[in-house]
Amino acid sequence: MVLKPEFKRVILKLSGEALGGPKGTGIDEAIVSVVTDQIKELSDNGVEVAVVIGGGNFWRGRTSEKMDRSTADYMGMMATVINALALQDSCEQKGLNTRVMSAIEMRQIAEPYIKRRAVRHLEKGRVVIFAAGIGNPFFSTDTTAALRAAEIEAEVILLAKKVDGVYDSDPNENPNAKKYTTMTHDDVINNKLGVMDTTAATLCFENSIPILVFGLDDPKNIIKACEGENIGTLIK
Ligand code: UDP
């Protein structure tokens, strides 16, 4: 299909939960396939796609009550590597060339993250999957998305979530929750709506990176987001 993408280089942030499908845990291969079908369509249409993958479908450092926080966070980073490999496998089955770049060295399964190399891969039409967050505890993969977007000069962060945008309250608990179509980075930072952590939002604000928050409920939403369709919530 011929697309009219609005962006040339994007960061697609996928939460681990999104890959977990309805259960939100483990890896739902059918969901992964829906995601990689869209990545392929974008890539075939000349969009340079870099993916930042979360790990919440397996483990989040902050959920541990007793564990040393750094250890718990490193476990979370490992979880993102598992997801990255699942995504890579699915992409390659569809004929896409991909590179997993890990912020923690794991030479047998991933390249180390080197910015210039990442950009080169993208320019050559390879899909780059960023694994292991930024490689440091006390950060999130949303912050990773913001940092990598700034580094590789992505035009937008496509933030794919389980919820289809930003609401003034939890739509799962409040049937009258109102969805925002647009908001500013400041709103995200000050309202503490839980869209993304403030570190990530601040980094996006300081580097003027827009974020489009949308749901994976529609199997074409990543493409729609990239074509600039009015889905979800645009933060700019
Ligand atoms: N994490 C980290 N540093 C990073 C990125 C991630 O310590 O730079 C850890 C942290 O424990 C986090 C987990 O990895 O909870 C999984 O990432 P995240 O919670 O962002 O995944 P998502 O919610 O997007 O699935």
Side-chain angles (χ1 to χ4, degrees), residues 13-18 53-57 59-62 69-70 72-80 83 132-144:
K13 163 70 212 294
L14 296 168
S15 71
E17 251 188 345
I53 185 83
N57 50 331
W59 180 259
R60 285 197 181 93
R62 63 175 182 277
R69 176 64 193 266
S70 298
D73 277 340
Y74 279 115
M75 288 168 61
M77 288 182 256
M78 295 299 110
T80 72
N83 287 332
I134 65 166
N136 290 309
F138 298 96
F139 287 94
S140 68
T141 52
D142 283 352
T143 301
T144 310

PDB file of all heavy atoms in Angstrom, residues 13-18 53-57 59-62 69-70 72-80 83 132-144, ligand 1:
ATOM      1  N   LYS A  13       7.538   4.131  20.468  1.00  0.00           N
ATOM      2  CA  LYS A  13       7.706   3.584  21.823  1.00  0.00           C
ATOM      3  C   LYS A  13       6.584   2.594  22.080  1.00  0.00           C
ATOM      4  O   LYS A  13       5.403   2.956  22.059  1.00  0.00           O
ATOM      5  CB  LYS A  13       7.697   4.711  22.863  1.00  0.00           C
ATOM      6  CG  LYS A  13       7.450   4.250  24.315  1.00  0.00           C
ATOM      7  CD  LYS A  13       8.595   3.467  24.935  1.00  0.00           C
ATOM      8  CE  LYS A  13       8.128   2.423  25.943  1.00  0.00           C
ATOM      9  NZ  LYS A  13       7.518   2.835  27.162  1.00  0.00           N
ATOM     10  N   LEU A  14       6.964   1.346  22.307  1.00  0.00           N
ATOM     11  CA  LEU A  14       5.979   0.306  22.609  1.00  0.00           C
ATOM     12  C   LEU A  14       6.140  -0.100  24.051  1.00  0.00           C
ATOM     13  O   LEU A  14       7.246  -0.493  24.469  1.00  0.00           O
ATOM     14  CB  LEU A  14       6.233  -0.920  21.731  1.00  0.00           C
ATOM     15  CG  LEU A  14       6.069  -0.768  20.224  1.00  0.00           C
ATOM     16  CD1 LEU A  14       6.644  -1.991  19.517  1.00  0.00           C
ATOM     17  CD2 LEU A  14       4.603  -0.606  19.866  1.00  0.00           C
ATOM     18  N   SER A  15       5.075  -0.020  24.811  1.00  0.00           N
ATOM     19  CA  SER A  15       5.189  -0.479  26.191  1.00  0.00           C
ATOM     20  C   SER A  15       5.202  -2.004  26.187  1.00  0.00           C
ATOM     21  O   SER A  15       4.671  -2.640  25.268  1.00  0.00           O
ATOM     22  CB  SER A  15       4.026   0.041  27.032  1.00  0.00           C
ATOM     23  OG  SER A  15       2.852  -0.623  26.660  1.00  0.00           O
ATOM     24  N   GLY A  16       5.815  -2.575  27.198  1.00  0.00           N
ATOM     25  CA  GLY A  16       5.832  -4.027  27.308  1.00  0.00           C
ATOM     26  C   GLY A  16       4.413  -4.570  27.405  1.00  0.00           C
ATOM     27  O   GLY A  16       4.074  -5.565  26.765  1.00  0.00           O
ATOM     28  N   GLU A  17       3.588  -3.867  28.165  1.00  0.00           N
ATOM     29  CA  GLU A  17       2.189  -4.280  28.341  1.00  0.00           C
ATOM     30  C   GLU A  17       1.474  -4.435  26.999  1.00  0.00           C
ATOM     31  O   GLU A  17       0.676  -5.344  26.814  1.00  0.00           O
ATOM     32  CB  GLU A  17       1.463  -3.208  29.150  1.00  0.00           C
ATOM     33  CG  GLU A  17       1.124  -3.618  30.545  1.00  0.00           C
ATOM     34  CD  GLU A  17       0.229  -2.589  31.218  1.00  0.00           C
ATOM     35  OE1 GLU A  17       0.114  -1.457  30.713  1.00  0.00           O
ATOM     36  OE2 GLU A  17      -0.335  -2.946  32.256  1.00  0.00           O
ATOM     37  N   ALA A  18       1.772  -3.526  26.079  1.00  0.00           N
ATOM     38  CA  ALA A  18       1.127  -3.567  24.768  1.00  0.00           C
ATOM     39  C   ALA A  18       1.455  -4.884  24.064  1.00  0.00           C
ATOM     40  O   ALA A  18       0.594  -5.484  23.426  1.00  0.00           O
ATOM     41  CB  ALA A  18       1.561  -2.387  23.919  1.00  0.00           C
ATOM     42  N   ILE A  53      11.606  -0.204  23.164  1.00  0.00           N
ATOM     43  CA  ILE A  53      10.699  -1.211  23.698  1.00  0.00           C
ATOM     44  C   ILE A  53      10.736  -1.226  25.229  1.00  0.00           C
ATOM     45  O   ILE A  53      11.799  -1.121  25.823  1.00  0.00           O
ATOM     46  CB  ILE A  53      11.076  -2.586  23.074  1.00  0.00           C
ATOM     47  CG1 ILE A  53      10.104  -3.677  23.474  1.00  0.00           C
ATOM     48  CG2 ILE A  53      12.489  -3.003  23.384  1.00  0.00           C
ATOM     49  CD1 ILE A  53       8.901  -3.683  22.631  1.00  0.00           C
ATOM     50  N   GLY A  54       9.564  -1.322  25.835  1.00  0.00           N
ATOM     51  CA  GLY A  54       9.477  -1.391  27.297  1.00  0.00           C
ATOM     52  C   GLY A  54       9.638  -2.823  27.794  1.00  0.00           C
ATOM     53  O   GLY A  54       9.975  -3.721  27.026  1.00  0.00           O
ATOM     54  N   GLY A  55       9.383  -3.012  29.074  1.00  0.00           N
ATOM     55  CA  GLY A  55       9.569  -4.348  29.648  1.00  0.00           C
ATOM     56  C   GLY A  55       8.518  -4.700  30.682  1.00  0.00           C
ATOM     57  O   GLY A  55       8.595  -5.741  31.332  1.00  0.00           O
ATOM     58  N   GLY A  56       7.521  -3.831  30.822  1.00  0.00           N
ATOM     59  CA  GLY A  56       6.513  -3.980  31.882  1.00  0.00           C
ATOM     60  C   GLY A  56       5.694  -5.250  31.796  1.00  0.00           C
ATOM     61  O   GLY A  56       5.027  -5.628  32.772  1.00  0.00           O
ATOM     62  N   ASN A  57       5.698  -5.940  30.657  1.00  0.00           N
ATOM     63  CA  ASN A  57       4.978  -7.215  30.539  1.00  0.00           C
ATOM     64  C   ASN A  57       5.688  -8.322  31.316  1.00  0.00           C
ATOM     65  O   ASN A  57       5.121  -9.380  31.563  1.00  0.00           O
ATOM     66  CB  ASN A  57       4.812  -7.620  29.069  1.00  0.00           C
ATOM     67  CG  ASN A  57       6.112  -7.561  28.291  1.00  0.00           C
ATOM     68  OD1 ASN A  57       6.998  -6.781  28.605  1.00  0.00           O
ATOM     69  ND2 ASN A  57       6.238  -8.383  27.281  1.00  0.00           N
ATOM     70  N   TRP A  59       8.514  -7.279  33.922  1.00  0.00           N
ATOM     71  CA  TRP A  59       9.023  -6.790  35.212  1.00  0.00           C
ATOM     72  C   TRP A  59       9.255  -5.287  35.167  1.00  0.00           C
ATOM     73  O   TRP A  59       9.752  -4.763  34.166  1.00  0.00           O
ATOM     74  CB  TRP A  59      10.349  -7.503  35.523  1.00  0.00           C
ATOM     75  CG  TRP A  59      10.991  -7.111  36.818  1.00  0.00           C
ATOM     76  CD1 TRP A  59      12.031  -6.241  36.969  1.00  0.00           C
ATOM     77  CD2 TRP A  59      10.630  -7.533  38.137  1.00  0.00           C
ATOM     78  NE1 TRP A  59      12.343  -6.112  38.292  1.00  0.00           N
ATOM     79  CE2 TRP A  59      11.505  -6.895  39.038  1.00  0.00           C
ATOM     80  CE3 TRP A  59       9.651  -8.391  38.647  1.00  0.00           C
ATOM     81  CZ2 TRP A  59      11.428  -7.084  40.421  1.00  0.00           C
ATOM     82  CZ3 TRP A  59       9.590  -8.580  40.019  1.00  0.00           C
ATOM     83  CH2 TRP A  59      10.469  -7.941  40.885  1.00  0.00           C
ATOM     84  N   ARG A  60       8.881  -4.614  36.224  1.00  0.00           N
ATOM     85  CA  ARG A  60       9.229  -3.198  36.385  1.00  0.00           C
ATOM     86  C   ARG A  60       9.970  -3.057  37.707  1.00  0.00           C
ATOM     87  O   ARG A  60       9.491  -3.543  38.737  1.00  0.00           O
ATOM     88  CB  ARG A  60       7.987  -2.315  36.457  1.00  0.00           C
ATOM     89  CG  ARG A  60       7.322  -2.104  35.133  1.00  0.00           C
ATOM     90  CD  ARG A  60       6.370  -0.921  35.172  1.00  0.00           C
ATOM     91  NE  ARG A  60       5.730  -0.767  33.880  1.00  0.00           N
ATOM     92  CZ  ARG A  60       4.564  -1.309  33.564  1.00  0.00           C
ATOM     93  NH1 ARG A  60       3.893  -2.018  34.447  1.00  0.00           N
ATOM     94  NH2 ARG A  60       4.067  -1.128  32.359  1.00  0.00           N
ATOM     95  N   GLY A  61      11.096  -2.369  37.670  1.00  0.00           N
ATOM     96  CA  GLY A  61      11.914  -2.226  38.864  1.00  0.00           C
ATOM     97  C   GLY A  61      11.162  -1.678  40.060  1.00  0.00           C
ATOM     98  O   GLY A  61      11.304  -2.175  41.184  1.00  0.00           O
ATOM     99  N   ARG A  62      10.300  -0.685  39.817  1.00  0.00           N
ATOM    100  CA  ARG A  62       9.640  -0.021  40.945  1.00  0.00           C
ATOM    101  C   ARG A  62       8.588  -0.883  41.628  1.00  0.00           C
ATOM    102  O   ARG A  62       8.110  -0.544  42.706  1.00  0.00           O
ATOM    103  CB  ARG A  62       9.056   1.325  40.500  1.00  0.00           C
ATOM    104  CG  ARG A  62       7.988   1.227  39.471  1.00  0.00           C
ATOM    105  CD  ARG A  62       7.368   2.594  39.150  1.00  0.00           C
ATOM    106  NE  ARG A  62       6.316   2.461  38.181  1.00  0.00           N
ATOM    107  CZ  ARG A  62       6.475   2.398  36.875  1.00  0.00           C
ATOM    108  NH1 ARG A  62       7.692   2.468  36.371  1.00  0.00           N
ATOM    109  NH2 ARG A  62       5.451   2.269  36.054  1.00  0.00           N
ATOM    110  N   ARG A  69      16.937  -1.380  44.529  1.00  0.00           N
ATOM    111  CA  ARG A  69      16.292  -0.766  43.365  1.00  0.00           C
ATOM    112  C   ARG A  69      17.109  -0.922  42.080  1.00  0.00           C
ATOM    113  O   ARG A  69      16.567  -1.196  40.997  1.00  0.00           O
ATOM    114  CB  ARG A  69      16.001   0.715  43.657  1.00  0.00           C
ATOM    115  CG  ARG A  69      15.417   1.527  42.510  1.00  0.00           C
ATOM    116  CD  ARG A  69      14.030   1.047  42.078  1.00  0.00           C
ATOM    117  NE  ARG A  69      13.657   1.644  40.809  1.00  0.00           N
ATOM    118  CZ  ARG A  69      12.942   2.748  40.684  1.00  0.00           C
ATOM    119  NH1 ARG A  69      12.482   3.367  41.737  1.00  0.00           N
ATOM    120  NH2 ARG A  69      12.659   3.229  39.490  1.00  0.00           N
ATOM    121  N   SER A  70      18.416  -0.777  42.198  1.00  0.00           N
ATOM    122  CA  SER A  70      19.237  -0.902  40.988  1.00  0.00           C
ATOM    123  C   SER A  70      19.113  -2.296  40.398  1.00  0.00           C
ATOM    124  O   SER A  70      18.936  -2.474  39.197  1.00  0.00           O
ATOM    125  CB  SER A  70      20.698  -0.598  41.290  1.00  0.00           C
ATOM    126  OG  SER A  70      20.828   0.720  41.724  1.00  0.00           O
ATOM    127  N   ALA A  72      16.671  -4.403  40.768  1.00  0.00           N
ATOM    128  CA  ALA A  72      15.323  -4.557  40.219  1.00  0.00           C
ATOM    129  C   ALA A  72      15.228  -3.863  38.863  1.00  0.00           C
ATOM    130  O   ALA A  72      14.596  -4.378  37.929  1.00  0.00           O
ATOM    131  CB  ALA A  72      14.301  -3.984  41.197  1.00  0.00           C
ATOM    132  N   ASP A  73      15.865  -2.703  38.745  1.00  0.00           N
ATOM    133  CA  ASP A  73      15.820  -1.976  37.474  1.00  0.00           C
ATOM    134  C   ASP A  73      16.622  -2.679  36.383  1.00  0.00           C
ATOM    135  O   ASP A  73      16.214  -2.706  35.227  1.00  0.00           O
ATOM    136  CB  ASP A  73      16.330  -0.540  37.659  1.00  0.00           C
ATOM    137  CG  ASP A  73      15.238   0.387  38.175  1.00  0.00           C
ATOM    138  OD1 ASP A  73      14.045   0.037  38.034  1.00  0.00           O
ATOM    139  OD2 ASP A  73      15.562   1.457  38.708  1.00  0.00           O
ATOM    140  N   TYR A  74      17.754  -3.259  36.755  1.00  0.00           N
ATOM    141  CA  TYR A  74      18.523  -4.007  35.748  1.00  0.00           C
ATOM    142  C   TYR A  74      17.696  -5.194  35.239  1.00  0.00           C
ATOM    143  O   TYR A  74      17.733  -5.539  34.066  1.00  0.00           O
ATOM    144  CB  TYR A  74      19.881  -4.471  36.295  1.00  0.00           C
ATOM    145  CG  TYR A  74      20.926  -3.368  36.262  1.00  0.00           C
ATOM    146  CD1 TYR A  74      21.481  -2.843  37.420  1.00  0.00           C
ATOM    147  CD2 TYR A  74      21.339  -2.835  35.039  1.00  0.00           C
ATOM    148  CE1 TYR A  74      22.418  -1.812  37.375  1.00  0.00           C
ATOM    149  CE2 TYR A  74      22.267  -1.807  34.979  1.00  0.00           C
ATOM    150  CZ  TYR A  74      22.811  -1.301  36.144  1.00  0.00           C
ATOM    151  OH  TYR A  74      23.725  -0.291  36.075  1.00  0.00           O
ATOM    152  N   MET A  75      16.931  -5.811  36.144  1.00  0.00           N
ATOM    153  CA  MET A  75      16.040  -6.894  35.707  1.00  0.00           C
ATOM    154  C   MET A  75      15.019  -6.371  34.699  1.00  0.00           C
ATOM    155  O   MET A  75      14.709  -7.036  33.704  1.00  0.00           O
ATOM    156  CB  MET A  75      15.320  -7.491  36.928  1.00  0.00           C
ATOM    157  CG  MET A  75      16.235  -8.303  37.810  1.00  0.00           C
ATOM    158  SD  MET A  75      15.464  -8.700  39.398  1.00  0.00           S
ATOM    159  CE  MET A  75      14.041  -9.639  38.895  1.00  0.00           C
ATOM    160  N   GLY A  76      14.514  -5.166  34.961  1.00  0.00           N
ATOM    161  CA  GLY A  76      13.569  -4.536  34.013  1.00  0.00           C
ATOM    162  C   GLY A  76      14.229  -4.314  32.658  1.00  0.00           C
ATOM    163  O   GLY A  76      13.619  -4.548  31.604  1.00  0.00           O
ATOM    164  N   MET A  77      15.484  -3.887  32.688  1.00  0.00           N
ATOM    165  CA  MET A  77      16.194  -3.663  31.427  1.00  0.00           C
ATOM    166  C   MET A  77      16.370  -4.961  30.662  1.00  0.00           C
ATOM    167  O   MET A  77      16.258  -5.002  29.445  1.00  0.00           O
ATOM    168  CB  MET A  77      17.533  -2.971  31.695  1.00  0.00           C
ATOM    169  CG  MET A  77      17.364  -1.509  32.091  1.00  0.00           C
ATOM    170  SD  MET A  77      18.928  -0.679  32.363  1.00  0.00           S
ATOM    171  CE  MET A  77      18.997  -0.590  34.150  1.00  0.00           C
ATOM    172  N   MET A  78      16.638  -6.051  31.417  1.00  0.00           N
ATOM    173  CA  MET A  78      16.749  -7.366  30.769  1.00  0.00           C
ATOM    174  C   MET A  78      15.423  -7.734  30.092  1.00  0.00           C
ATOM    175  O   MET A  78      15.403  -8.310  29.006  1.00  0.00           O
ATOM    176  CB  MET A  78      17.089  -8.460  31.798  1.00  0.00           C
ATOM    177  CG  MET A  78      18.439  -8.336  32.462  1.00  0.00           C
ATOM    178  SD  MET A  78      19.774  -8.426  31.283  1.00  0.00           S
ATOM    179  CE  MET A  78      20.353  -6.761  31.331  1.00  0.00           C
ATOM    180  N   ALA A  79      14.333  -7.398  30.764  1.00  0.00           N
ATOM    181  CA  ALA A  79      13.003  -7.696  30.198  1.00  0.00           C
ATOM    182  C   ALA A  79      12.833  -7.010  28.839  1.00  0.00           C
ATOM    183  O   ALA A  79      12.280  -7.596  27.904  1.00  0.00           O
ATOM    184  CB  ALA A  79      11.913  -7.241  31.167  1.00  0.00           C
ATOM    185  N   THR A  80      13.356  -5.791  28.720  1.00  0.00           N
ATOM    186  CA  THR A  80      13.209  -5.086  27.429  1.00  0.00           C
ATOM    187  C   THR A  80      13.995  -5.811  26.332  1.00  0.00           C
ATOM    188  O   THR A  80      13.616  -5.763  25.174  1.00  0.00           O
ATOM    189  CB  THR A  80      13.689  -3.612  27.502  1.00  0.00           C
ATOM    190  OG1 THR A  80      15.119  -3.583  27.598  1.00  0.00           O
ATOM    191  CG2 THR A  80      13.089  -2.857  28.664  1.00  0.00           C
ATOM    192  N   ASN A  83      11.887  -8.614  24.930  1.00  0.00           N
ATOM    193  CA  ASN A  83      10.896  -8.061  23.996  1.00  0.00           C
ATOM    194  C   ASN A  83      11.537  -7.652  22.677  1.00  0.00           C
ATOM    195  O   ASN A  83      10.958  -7.839  21.599  1.00  0.00           O
ATOM    196  CB  ASN A  83      10.204  -6.849  24.621  1.00  0.00           C
ATOM    197  CG  ASN A  83       9.236  -7.235  25.715  1.00  0.00           C
ATOM    198  OD1 ASN A  83       8.686  -8.339  25.698  1.00  0.00           O
ATOM    199  ND2 ASN A  83       9.022  -6.349  26.670  1.00  0.00           N
ATOM    200  N   ALA A 132      17.281  -2.427  26.419  1.00  0.00           N
ATOM    201  CA  ALA A 132      17.932  -2.147  27.715  1.00  0.00           C
ATOM    202  C   ALA A 132      17.860  -0.678  28.122  1.00  0.00           C
ATOM    203  O   ALA A 132      18.736  -0.191  28.853  1.00  0.00           O
ATOM    204  CB  ALA A 132      19.382  -2.638  27.719  1.00  0.00           C
ATOM    205  N   GLY A 133      16.812  -0.005  27.675  1.00  0.00           N
ATOM    206  CA  GLY A 133      16.611   1.388  28.093  1.00  0.00           C
ATOM    207  C   GLY A 133      17.825   2.239  27.786  1.00  0.00           C
ATOM    208  O   GLY A 133      18.446   2.087  26.734  1.00  0.00           O
ATOM    209  N   ILE A 134      18.155   3.127  28.734  1.00  0.00           N
ATOM    210  CA  ILE A 134      19.381   3.909  28.535  1.00  0.00           C
ATOM    211  C   ILE A 134      20.565   3.216  29.223  1.00  0.00           C
ATOM    212  O   ILE A 134      21.674   3.729  29.226  1.00  0.00           O
ATOM    213  CB  ILE A 134      19.244   5.370  29.022  1.00  0.00           C
ATOM    214  CG1 ILE A 134      19.029   5.450  30.537  1.00  0.00           C
ATOM    215  CG2 ILE A 134      18.144   6.106  28.309  1.00  0.00           C
ATOM    216  CD1 ILE A 134      19.229   6.854  31.075  1.00  0.00           C
ATOM    217  N   GLY A 135      20.287   2.078  29.859  1.00  0.00           N
ATOM    218  CA  GLY A 135      21.364   1.309  30.480  1.00  0.00           C
ATOM    219  C   GLY A 135      21.626   1.681  31.926  1.00  0.00           C
ATOM    220  O   GLY A 135      22.547   1.152  32.545  1.00  0.00           O
ATOM    221  N   ASN A 136      20.819   2.584  32.468  1.00  0.00           N
ATOM    222  CA  ASN A 136      20.991   2.993  33.866  1.00  0.00           C
ATOM    223  C   ASN A 136      19.722   2.783  34.656  1.00  0.00           C
ATOM    224  O   ASN A 136      18.622   3.047  34.148  1.00  0.00           O
ATOM    225  CB  ASN A 136      21.332   4.494  33.953  1.00  0.00           C
ATOM    226  CG  ASN A 136      22.705   4.784  33.447  1.00  0.00           C
ATOM    227  OD1 ASN A 136      23.681   4.153  33.843  1.00  0.00           O
ATOM    228  ND2 ASN A 136      22.805   5.716  32.530  1.00  0.00           N
ATOM    229  N   PRO A 137      19.880   2.335  35.932  1.00  0.00           N
ATOM    230  CA  PRO A 137      18.686   2.208  36.768  1.00  0.00           C
ATOM    231  C   PRO A 137      18.083   3.573  37.081  1.00  0.00           C
ATOM    232  O   PRO A 137      18.712   4.601  36.838  1.00  0.00           O
ATOM    233  CB  PRO A 137      19.221   1.536  38.034  1.00  0.00           C
ATOM    234  CG  PRO A 137      20.686   1.775  38.040  1.00  0.00           C
ATOM    235  CD  PRO A 137      21.112   1.923  36.606  1.00  0.00           C
ATOM    236  N   PHE A 138      16.877   3.567  37.627  1.00  0.00           N
ATOM    237  CA  PHE A 138      16.132   4.778  38.004  1.00  0.00           C
ATOM    238  C   PHE A 138      15.622   5.565  36.796  1.00  0.00           C
ATOM    239  O   PHE A 138      15.195   6.701  36.937  1.00  0.00           O
ATOM    240  CB  PHE A 138      16.952   5.707  38.924  1.00  0.00           C
ATOM    241  CG  PHE A 138      17.307   5.058  40.234  1.00  0.00           C
ATOM    242  CD1 PHE A 138      18.528   4.444  40.422  1.00  0.00           C
ATOM    243  CD2 PHE A 138      16.379   5.015  41.274  1.00  0.00           C
ATOM    244  CE1 PHE A 138      18.854   3.816  41.613  1.00  0.00           C
ATOM    245  CE2 PHE A 138      16.684   4.389  42.476  1.00  0.00           C
ATOM    246  CZ  PHE A 138      17.926   3.784  42.653  1.00  0.00           C
ATOM    247  N   PHE A 139      15.692   4.952  35.604  1.00  0.00           N
ATOM    248  CA  PHE A 139      15.100   5.602  34.432  1.00  0.00           C
ATOM    249  C   PHE A 139      14.041   4.683  33.849  1.00  0.00           C
ATOM    250  O   PHE A 139      13.873   3.546  34.294  1.00  0.00           O
ATOM    251  CB  PHE A 139      16.188   5.924  33.394  1.00  0.00           C
ATOM    252  CG  PHE A 139      17.073   7.063  33.813  1.00  0.00           C
ATOM    253  CD1 PHE A 139      18.266   6.823  34.473  1.00  0.00           C
ATOM    254  CD2 PHE A 139      16.687   8.377  33.571  1.00  0.00           C
ATOM    255  CE1 PHE A 139      19.082   7.872  34.880  1.00  0.00           C
ATOM    256  CE2 PHE A 139      17.498   9.429  33.977  1.00  0.00           C
ATOM    257  CZ  PHE A 139      18.693   9.184  34.630  1.00  0.00           C
ATOM    258  N   SER A 140      13.323   5.201  32.859  1.00  0.00           N
ATOM    259  CA  SER A 140      12.260   4.402  32.245  1.00  0.00           C
ATOM    260  C   SER A 140      12.509   4.315  30.742  1.00  0.00           C
ATOM    261  O   SER A 140      13.368   5.027  30.199  1.00  0.00           O
ATOM    262  CB  SER A 140      10.915   5.104  32.459  1.00  0.00           C
ATOM    263  OG  SER A 140      10.922   6.301  31.696  1.00  0.00           O
ATOM    264  N   THR A 141      11.736   3.479  30.087  1.00  0.00           N
ATOM    265  CA  THR A 141      11.884   3.411  28.628  1.00  0.00           C
ATOM    266  C   THR A 141      11.202   4.611  27.950  1.00  0.00           C
ATOM    267  O   THR A 141      11.495   4.894  26.799  1.00  0.00           O
ATOM    268  CB  THR A 141      11.348   2.072  28.068  1.00  0.00           C
ATOM    269  OG1 THR A 141      10.034   1.865  28.554  1.00  0.00           O
ATOM    270  CG2 THR A 141      12.240   0.911  28.483  1.00  0.00           C
ATOM    271  N   ASP A 142      10.309   5.306  28.664  1.00  0.00           N
ATOM    272  CA  ASP A 142       9.779   6.566  28.101  1.00  0.00           C
ATOM    273  C   ASP A 142      10.915   7.587  28.024  1.00  0.00           C
ATOM    274  O   ASP A 142      11.052   8.314  27.038  1.00  0.00           O
ATOM    275  CB  ASP A 142       8.646   7.122  28.981  1.00  0.00           C
ATOM    276  CG  ASP A 142       7.347   6.366  28.763  1.00  0.00           C
ATOM    277  OD1 ASP A 142       7.295   5.529  27.840  1.00  0.00           O
ATOM    278  OD2 ASP A 142       6.379   6.608  29.515  1.00  0.00           O
ATOM    279  N   THR A 143      11.726   7.649  29.070  1.00  0.00           N
ATOM    280  CA  THR A 143      12.879   8.552  29.049  1.00  0.00           C
ATOM    281  C   THR A 143      13.855   8.125  27.956  1.00  0.00           C
ATOM    282  O   THR A 143      14.439   8.966  27.270  1.00  0.00           O
ATOM    283  CB  THR A 143      13.569   8.582  30.430  1.00  0.00           C
ATOM    284  OG1 THR A 143      12.606   9.015  31.381  1.00  0.00           O
ATOM    285  CG2 THR A 143      14.754   9.535  30.440  1.00  0.00           C
ATOM    286  N   THR A 144      13.999   6.809  27.790  1.00  0.00           N
ATOM    287  CA  THR A 144      14.849   6.307  26.700  1.00  0.00           C
ATOM    288  C   THR A 144      14.345   6.829  25.357  1.00  0.00           C
ATOM    289  O   THR A 144      15.131   7.294  24.519  1.00  0.00           O
ATOM    290  CB  THR A 144      14.837   4.756  26.676  1.00  0.00           C
ATOM    291  OG1 THR A 144      15.110   4.270  27.990  1.00  0.00           O
ATOM    292  CG2 THR A 144      15.857   4.222  25.690  1.00  0.00           C
TER     293      THR A 144
HETATM  294  N1  UDP B   1      14.585   0.490  33.199  1.00  0.00           N
HETATM  295  C1  UDP B   1      15.676   1.126  33.772  1.00  0.00           C
HETATM  296  N2  UDP B   1      16.378   2.054  33.042  1.00  0.00           N
HETATM  297  C2  UDP B   1      16.027   2.399  31.778  1.00  0.00           C
HETATM  298  C3  UDP B   1      14.883   1.785  31.217  1.00  0.00           C
HETATM  299  C4  UDP B   1      14.185   0.835  31.941  1.00  0.00           C
HETATM  300  O1  UDP B   1      16.024   0.853  34.908  1.00  0.00           O
HETATM  301  O2  UDP B   1      16.698   3.243  31.166  1.00  0.00           O
HETATM  302  C5  UDP B   1      13.911  -0.600  33.930  1.00  0.00           C
HETATM  303  C6  UDP B   1      12.933  -0.134  34.987  1.00  0.00           C
HETATM  304  O3  UDP B   1      12.972  -1.017  36.046  1.00  0.00           O
HETATM  305  C7  UDP B   1      11.596  -0.261  34.261  1.00  0.00           C
HETATM  306  C8  UDP B   1      11.815  -1.513  33.442  1.00  0.00           C
HETATM  307  O4  UDP B   1      13.175  -1.419  33.029  1.00  0.00           O
HETATM  308  O5  UDP B   1      10.533  -0.419  35.151  1.00  0.00           O
HETATM  309  C9  UDP B   1      10.922  -1.679  32.251  1.00  0.00           C
HETATM  310  O6  UDP B   1      10.790  -0.456  31.554  1.00  0.00           O
HETATM  311  P1  UDP B   1       9.415   0.382  31.568  1.00  0.00           P
HETATM  312  O7  UDP B   1       8.769   0.299  32.909  1.00  0.00           O
HETATM  313  O8  UDP B   1       9.725   1.739  31.048  1.00  0.00           O
HETATM  314  O9  UDP B   1       8.588  -0.445  30.509  1.00  0.00           O
HETATM  315  P2  UDP B   1       7.075  -0.206  29.992  1.00  0.00           P
HETATM  316  O10 UDP B   1       6.270   0.389  31.112  1.00  0.00           O
HETATM  317  O11 UDP B   1       7.175   0.745  28.843  1.00  0.00           O
HETATM  318  O12 UDP B   1       6.632  -1.558  29.553  1.00  0.00           O
END
